[in-house]
Amino acid sequence: MINSYLQQAQLSADTRLISAELTALEQALVSTSLPEVRWHYQIPQLGEGGACSLFGYLQDEPFKLTAYVTNNEQTHTKLANLQAIVNYIQQQTGVDWYGIYQTHDTAQGKQLLKLAYHGAPSRPLFPLTADFAAGSNNVQVALSKTGRIINNVEQYLSQGGEYYTCDPKVKSEVCLPLFNRSGECVGIIDAEAFHNDFFDEKVLAVLIACCIKIPQFLV
């Protein structure tokens, strides 16, 4: 399972460390009460053309997840488990921002839909198009099915890397694909930190372990 994920995401990591983190995550999910589901959440205003968020400016109306997924008992339980994973990651790593996105068919085409997160408000949908991928690390990972570890955003940008700036405080970011049993990319996770070189071997092991578990709870 772990080796398969690393191969699909084209990543190199300590499999024994990931295995230990996966066991710890599964134990935590069993022993922890499920948190509340965030069906509505605040999102930033978008700039001209909708390409960029206006950092610090929120839309008056919250984003309604119920417009995209059905609010029933089964979905509620899955989303609660996803939020529990988000909370677990923040507690274990101290990451400043973390989100789980699922690929979703919308009236505007296939997009990444944010299901659960920790941190500042951020955009809820990312168009899965080649044009948007040119400036979006998230979309690039979803389309390429390849994980990205950026421990110095400024350096990454100076080298011409694709990057969508939401919070200017972010100095490090990891974006990893999520796979179903058929090996299809069905979403991504995004983790951000406010200083360089945040994502060491230990933190990456936690993130990868969660990527292996998350697809069980996608809606």
Side-chain angles (χ1 to χ4, degrees):
M1 184 187 306
I2 294 171
N3 286 327
S4 176
Y5 178 84
L6 293 176
Q7 183 177 15
Q8 287 175 303
Q10 300 184 41
L11 296 170
S12 177
D14 187 330
T15 56
R16 289 178 297 178
L17 190 55
I18 296 168
S19 179
E21 294 297 342
L22 183 56
T23 298
L25 170 64
E26 290 174 338
Q27 291 173 345
L29 290 176
V30 170
S31 61
T32 304
S33 299
L34 291 179
E36 292 294 322
V37 173
R38 197 179 319 193
W39 288 103
H40 299 165
Y41 51 78
Q42 294 297 128
I43 59 174
Q45 293 183 19
L46 296 181
E48 185 175 354
C52 297
S53 296
L54 299 177
F55 183 73
Y57 295 88
L58 298 179
Q59 295 186 23
D60 292 333
E61 292 294 322
F63 179 78
K64 297 179 180 179
L65 194 55
T66 48
Y68 296 87
V69 298
T70 303
N71 185 353
N72 57 30
E73 184 176 356
Q74 182 181 30
T75 301
H76 188 279
T77 300
K78 288 183 175 182
L79 291 175
N81 274 283
L82 291 180
Q83 189 62 51
I85 292 175
V86 169
N87 296 349
Y88 176 84
I89 285 178
Q90 201 284 322
Q91 292 162 5
Q92 294 296 312
T93 69
V95 72
D96 294 291
W97 200 95
Y98 179 87
I100 297 172
Y101 299 78
Q102 181 173 349
T103 56
H104 191 81
D105 290 320
T106 73
Q108 291 73 41
K110 190 176 289 293
Q111 303 195 61
L112 288 172
L113 170 66
K114 186 172 66 178
L115 297 179
Y117 73 100
H118 160 83
S122 64
R123 68 181 300 150
L125 293 162
F126 287 86
L128 284 171
T129 65
D131 287 344
F132 204 89
S136 170
N137 190 46
N138 288 356
V139 175
Q140 186 64 229
V141 166
L143 294 180
S144 69
K145 305 179 184 179
T146 302
R148 289 197 174 185
I149 302 165
I150 305 171
N151 265 317
N152 188 318
V153 169
E154 184 178 2
Q155 183 181 70
Y156 181 77
L157 285 170
S158 70
Q159 295 171 349
E162 305 90 349
Y163 195 76
Y164 170 83
T165 300
C166 179
D167 188 338
K169 296 193 295 295
V170 174
K171 303 297 182 184
S172 301
E173 180 174 11
V174 164
C175 189
L176 302 177
L178 301 171
F179 299 107
N180 63 15
R181 292 182 178 179
S182 300
E184 300 168 318
C185 182
V186 289
I188 65 160
I189 63 97
D190 185 27
E192 300 173 348
F194 293 164
H195 59 269
N196 292 330
D197 302 315
F198 179 86
F199 297 102
D200 58 19
E201 190 173 53
K202 166 72 172 177
V203 173
L204 286 173
V206 175
L207 296 179
I208 292 170
C210 290
C211 284
I212 293 170
K213 191 70 176 177
I214 285 170
Q216 298 179 25
F217 303 117
L218 293 180
V219 299

